[in-house]
Amino acid sequence: MKKLNLLPVILLILPVFGFSQFSVSGKITNKETKETLSGAHIIIENTFKSTISNSNGIYIVKNLKKGKYTFLITYVGYKPVKNEIDLSKNMELDFELVTSPVLEDEVIITATRAYEKSPATYQNISKKEIEDINLGQDLPYLLETSPSTVVTSDAGAGIGYTGIRIRGTDLTRINVTINGIPLNDPESHGVWFVDLPDLANSIDNIQIQRGVGTSTNGAASFGASINIQTQKLNPDPYAVINSSYGSFNTFKNNVSFGTGLIKGKWSFNGSLSKISSDGYIDRASSDLKSFFVSGSYYGEKSILKLNIFSGKEKTYQAWMGVPKDSLKTNRTYNPYTYDNETDNYKQDHYQLLYSYQFNRMLNLNAALHYTKGKGYYEQYKKEQSFEDYLLNNVIIGNDTITETDLIRQKWLDNDFYGVTYSLNYNNKKSIIATVGGSWNKYDGNHFGKLIWAKYASNSNIDYRWYFNNGLKSDFNIFGKINYRLNTHFNIYGDIQYRHIDYDMDGKHDDQRDITQSHQYDFINPKAGVFYELNNNNKAYFSFGIANREPSRTNFRDADAGEVPLSERLTDYELGYSYNTTRFLFNGNLFYMNYKDQLVLTGEINNVGEAIMVNVPKSYRMGLEFITGIKILPCLDWNVNITYSKNKIKDFTEFVDDWDNGGQISKDLGETDLSFSPEIIGGSQITYNCVKGMKLAFFTNYIGKQYIDNTSSNQRMLDPYLINNLL
C-alpha cells in the first residue's frame, strides 16, 4: 500500500491555523458620564472573533496574530464605533461610546430572539449576506446553505411555490415571525413565501433557531423557527433600481427608496418589486408583484413604526411533481394543460409597532397587526358527477346525463389580527429577562365556485357547491430569564403557557359536515446552561418541550369517529464552539423525541383520501458541524454537514387490497421518517479580492430520502449535488 506523506499538508495548513501571539484589552465607557458599559459587543471585522464586555466594562481578546484589525463596538442605545489598529504587541484599547439620539430598531425583536451566551442552537443572517444572494428567488432559497436545510421548488427555478425543511421538518412545523408577529397560517400552520415575493429586499436580518428554540409567538416550533426583522433605520437618503435576468426567462425588477432621518425624528422607506419566470417545469410560470412601505418616528426613548406590505401572485400549478418513469425522458413534465390552471392569491399585511425605553435596563414592545388574504386556485375537471356538486342530472330526450366537464375555483378568504407585547429587562451585568406574549384571532372562509360547465344543470353564475368556516383564537404568555452566575456560567429558564380555541363549521368539498370544536392548553418549559471557558471555547446544553395542536387538514381528513391527538416534542441540544480570528468550528448534538407525531401512513379515510395519523413514538437525532476558514483576508470557505437518524419506532403501513376491497396493514417496525435525509452538506467559498467584485461558489449535497415512511427503495429519492456560482 502506498503511504501518504502528510507533512506538506500540515505545513500548508499551519499558517492558516497558526499560533497567535498577542492580545487586545480595554474598557468600554459612556463618553459623557464615564460609566462603564457591561454587555457591549466587541467584533473584529473580517474574522470569526468577538466578545462581550464584562460587568466592569472590561474586555479582552486573546491569541491575535500580528497584523491589521478593525474593531467594531456596538451597544444598544449608543452609536457604533470603529477603530483600526496595527497589532505588533499586546495592546490596551479603550472605547468611549456616545449615546444615540434615537432608540434603535433592535429592541423590536428582543423578546423572540436568542442572544449571545444563550444555550440555543441558532444562526444569524445579516442584511449584507441577504443582499449578496437575493436575485428574486423565494426566501427559502436564500437560506439554502444553512445547516440541516433542504429547499424545494414546484416550478424548479426557486420562484413561485417553494418549500424548506430544517432537520426534516417542513414549514407547517417551523415557527415563522416577522418583527415578532406570527406569519404561519393559524389553520394549516403553513407559510407560503410566494405570497410575499421579494420579501428579502425589505429584510434587515434573520435568525434561524434549530430545535425547540426560545419561546415565541404563534404555532410551536417543532424543528426550527425563522425570526425575521424588516428594514431598520438608514439615516441617509437613498434610491436604488435593480434589474436582473436569468434562466427560464426569469426577470426581477425592483425600485427601493428611503428618506433618511428627517429632522432627527422621521424616516420613510419603501420598495416595489415585480418578478416573472417561465419556470423549469412545463408551463410552471409565475407572475409576482409586491410592495413594502414603512413610516417611522424615532424619539430618544421611543419608536413608532407603521409597516404595510403586500404581495400578489399568479402561478401556474406545478405541484403534482414528475412521475418517476419520466425523470430520464421528460424531466419537465407537467400533467396540467388547461390554460388557466393557476393559483391566484393576494395578501396584505399591516403592522403598527411601538417601543418605549423606560431606562437603560427596561423597555416595552407592543404591536398591533392585521393580515388580509384572499384568493383561489382554478382547475379544469373532467367527467364530474352532478351529485358531487349538489346538482341535478341533465335529461336530454331519453338520455340522462350524470356527469359533466367543468371549471371550478377553490377560494380562501381570511382575516388574521391581534396584538403582541413584551417587557424586557437587561441590567447588562447579570440578568436578562423578558415577559411577553400575544393574542391573535383568525377567521377563514373556504368555499368553491363553478365558473363553467359543459352541462350547467341547475347551477347559476358563480354557483357555490360547498362552504365552511374556520375560527381560531390563540393566546400565549411566556417568561424567560438568563442569569450570569459568574464570568464562565450562564443559566437560562423559559416557560410558556398557550391556549387555543378552534371551531370549524360547514361542509367540505365532498359534502362531509366537518363541524367541530377543539380547545387546547399547553405548558412549554425550556432550560439550559451556557459555559464560556475563554474567548475561544464555549459550550451549552439545553432542554425544551413544545406542544402542537393538529392542523385543519388533520381534523378534516381524520377517519369517521377519530380525532387526531396533539403532538409533543422533547428536545435536547448539546453544543460546542471554538473560534480564532481565522478559524471557526461549531458542533451540535441533538435528540428530538416526539410523542404522537402526525405522519403520513398511506391509510385512507372513509371517502378514499390519504390522511395523517399519530404515531406513538418517533425521533430525530444527529450531529451538526459548521466550519469556517479564512484562507486569505479576502477568501473564505464555510462548510456545514449534518448526519442524522430520523425514525418511527413502530410503523404500520396501510395498502389497498384491490382483490377483496378495503386495506391491508403491514407492521414494518422501525422505519425512516419521510423527506428526512441522513446526510445534508453545504459549502460556500467567497472570493472578494478585487474591489467592486464578489464571487461566491455554493455547493449543496442532499442524501437519499424517502417519499413515505416505509423505507422502501422503490419510494426513494436518489442523493443529489447542486452547485451555484453567484
Side-chain angles (χ1 to χ4, degrees), residues 459-721:
S459 66
N460 48 39
I461 296 175
D462 287 339
Y463 171 79
R464 293 190 183 186
W465 86 92
Y466 76 94
F467 178 91
N468 63 76
N469 172 263
L471 195 64
K472 186 173 185 178
S473 62
D474 183 340
F475 167 80
N476 87 88
I477 185 169
F478 59 82
K480 56 179 79 172
I481 183 169
N482 194 331
Y483 180 68
R484 182 186 297 177
L485 290 174
N486 51 47
T487 56
H488 296 292
F489 279 100
N490 284 35
I491 57 174
Y492 175 83
D494 181 339
I495 190 165
Q496 179 193 55
Y497 166 72
R498 184 165 175 248
H499 175 79
I500 301 106
D501 284 298
Y502 182 39
D503 298 302
M504 298 169 65
D505 179 64
K507 292 186 176 182
H508 187 41
D509 61 357
D510 56 9
Q511 303 310 318
R512 282 182 299 135
D513 189 344
I514 57 174
T515 301
Q516 51 193 287
S517 295
H518 304 277
Q519 288 188 343
Y520 296 93
D521 292 278
F522 297 134
I523 301 292
N524 301 313
K526 308 167 186 73
V529 58
F530 179 92
Y531 175 71
E532 184 176 23
L533 177 64
N534 51 44
N535 283 337
N536 297 91
N537 295 274
K538 302 170 186 176
Y540 65 87
F541 171 76
S542 67
F543 161 85
I545 293 176
N547 292 275
R548 178 182 180 273
E549 74 279 13
S551 69
R552 163 189 159 85
T553 303
N554 300 144
F555 288 124
R556 186 196 68 197
D557 289 346
D559 217 344
E562 298 289 335
V563 177
L565 303 173
S566 61
E567 307 166 83
R568 171 173 287 200
L569 166 62
T570 304
D571 179 33
Y572 304 87
E573 306 274 336
L574 178 63
Y576 166 76
S577 68
Y578 171 79
N579 65 297
T580 67
T581 55
R582 303 178 70 177
F583 177 70
L584 167 70
F585 171 80
N586 288 333
N588 184 60
L589 172 66
F590 64 89
Y591 179 68
M592 302 167 64
N593 188 37
Y594 296 88
K595 181 178 182 292
D596 296 323
Q597 184 177 187
L598 282 158
V599 301
L600 290 168
T601 67
E603 189 179 5
I604 59 174
N605 61 19
N606 58 339
V607 293
E609 294 178 330
I611 64 173
M612 297 179 74
V613 301
N614 299 100
V615 293
K617 297 179 180 180
S618 56
Y619 66 90
R620 303 180 189 275
M621 65 180 297
L623 286 165
E624 296 168 325
F625 299 104
I626 304 167
T627 301
I629 304 171
K630 185 164 284 294
I631 302 171
L632 297 171
C634 58
L635 181 62
D636 297 340
W637 185 19
N638 295 288
V639 178
N640 65 77
I641 298 172
T642 300
Y643 175 75
S644 64
K645 287 189 175 296
N646 310 275
K647 300 288 186 177
I648 301 174
K649 290 188 176 180
D650 294 291
F651 179 71
T652 301
E653 179 193 22
F654 292 84
V655 294
D656 295 325
D657 185 350
W658 296 103
D659 296 326
N660 303 307
Q663 291 195 309
I664 301 172
S665 63
K666 295 181 180 180
D667 295 325
L668 300 181
E670 186 170 270
T671 61
D672 294 273
L673 283 162
S674 60
F675 299 105
S676 300
E678 286 189 352
I679 299 176
I680 300 172
S683 168
Q684 178 180 341
I685 300 174
T686 305
Y687 175 85
N688 193 20
C689 297
V690 179
K691 188 175 181 180
M693 182 184 75
K694 184 174 183 178
L695 295 175
F697 184 70
F698 298 90
T699 300
N700 286 90
Y701 174 81
I702 310 300
K704 69 178 182 180
Q705 52 186 314
Y706 299 95
I707 63 174
D708 67 5
N709 301 301
T710 63
S711 298
S712 169
N713 288 336
Q714 300 301 314
R715 303 168 192 175
M716 183 186 76
L717 299 177
D718 293 331
Y720 61 89
L721 182 75

Side-chain angles (χ1 to χ4, degrees), residues 245-287:
Y245 173 76
S247 303
F248 318 116
N249 283 324
T250 299
F251 289 90
K252 175 197 170 187
N253 295 288
N254 169 267
V255 177
S256 301
F257 71 90
T259 63
L261 197 58
I262 302 173
K263 296 184 178 180
K265 298 292 184 183
W266 299 91
S267 176
F268 301 91
N269 56 67
S271 66
L272 184 66
S273 297
K274 185 180 188 309
I275 301 170
S276 61
S277 177
D278 291 344
Y280 171 73
I281 300 296
D282 295 342
R283 297 173 297 283
S285 60
S286 299
D287 184 8

Side-chain angles (χ1 to χ4, degrees), residues 369 417-421 437-441 473-476:
H369 69 89
Y417 52 90
V419 58
T420 67
Y421 58 91
S438 67
W439 176 87
N440 303 297
K441 190 83 170 183
S473 62
D474 183 340
F475 167 80
N476 87 88

Side-chain angles (χ1 to χ4, degrees), residues 118-354:
S118 292
T121 308
Y122 69 94
Q123 174 192 14
N124 292 321
I125 302 173
S126 68
K127 180 180 180 69
K128 183 65 168 61
E129 291 173 298
I130 295 168
E131 288 176 342
D132 286 346
I133 56 177
N134 181 22
L135 297 176
Q137 292 179 304
D138 276 4
L139 190 64
Y141 273 75
L142 276 61
L143 309 178
E144 186 174 15
T145 57
S146 301
S148 302
T149 298
V150 178
V151 300
T152 57
S153 168
D154 284 5
I159 294 172
Y161 273 89
T162 58
I164 182 171
R165 289 178 178 268
I166 300 177
R167 291 186 180 174
T169 301
D170 68 16
L171 270 169
T172 64
R173 292 156 182 268
I174 295 174
N175 173 276
V176 184
T177 57
I178 297 182
N179 300 320
I181 294 169
L183 186 60
N184 297 73
D185 179 87
E187 276 199 303
S188 68
H189 299 178
V191 178
W192 293 272
F193 288 107
V194 67
D195 298 334
L196 294 172
D198 204 22
L199 175 64
N201 191 71
S202 304
I203 292 175
D204 184 85
N205 62 81
I206 300 172
Q207 183 178 90
I208 301 174
Q209 298 179 30
R210 301 191 298 281
V212 167
T214 64
S215 286
T216 184
N217 299 313
S221 168
F222 251 51
S225 60
I226 299 174
N227 188 305
I228 299 168
Q229 183 176 14
T230 54
Q231 291 179 351
K232 298 195 298 187
L233 172 65
N234 186 335
D236 301 315
Y238 68 92
V240 179
I241 298 176
N242 283 314
S243 292
S244 61
Y245 173 76
S247 303
F248 318 116
N249 283 324
T250 299
F251 289 90
K252 175 197 170 187
N253 295 288
N254 169 267
V255 177
S256 301
F257 71 90
T259 63
L261 197 58
I262 302 173
K263 296 184 178 180
K265 298 292 184 183
W266 299 91
S267 176
F268 301 91
N269 56 67
S271 66
L272 184 66
S273 297
K274 185 180 188 309
I275 301 170
S276 61
S277 177
D278 291 344
Y280 171 73
I281 300 296
D282 295 342
R283 297 173 297 283
S285 60
S286 299
D287 184 8
L288 316 175
K289 303 177 181 69
S290 67
F291 72 83
F292 179 97
V293 293
S294 179
S296 305
Y297 170 82
Y298 291 90
E300 185 178 350
K301 292 190 174 184
S302 64
I303 299 174
L304 182 64
K305 181 187 290 277
L306 175 64
N307 293 334
I308 302 174
F309 50 101
S310 175
K312 184 177 182 181
E313 59 92 3
K314 181 174 184 177
T315 56
Y316 195 93
Q317 294 176 27
W319 54 45
M320 285 294 287
V322 180
K324 188 172 183 179
D325 57 6
S326 298
L327 288 176
K328 292 184 178 180
T329 59
N330 185 12
R331 296 183 64 87
T332 64
Y333 173 78
N334 187 349
Y336 296 120
T337 57
Y338 165 56
D339 287 346
N340 202 40
E341 194 94 12
T342 58
D343 185 83
N344 306 263
Y345 197 75
K346 185 174 185 290
Q347 195 173 76
D348 304 318
H349 295 255
Y350 304 86
Q351 298 182 343
L352 182 63
L353 310 167
Y354 178 72

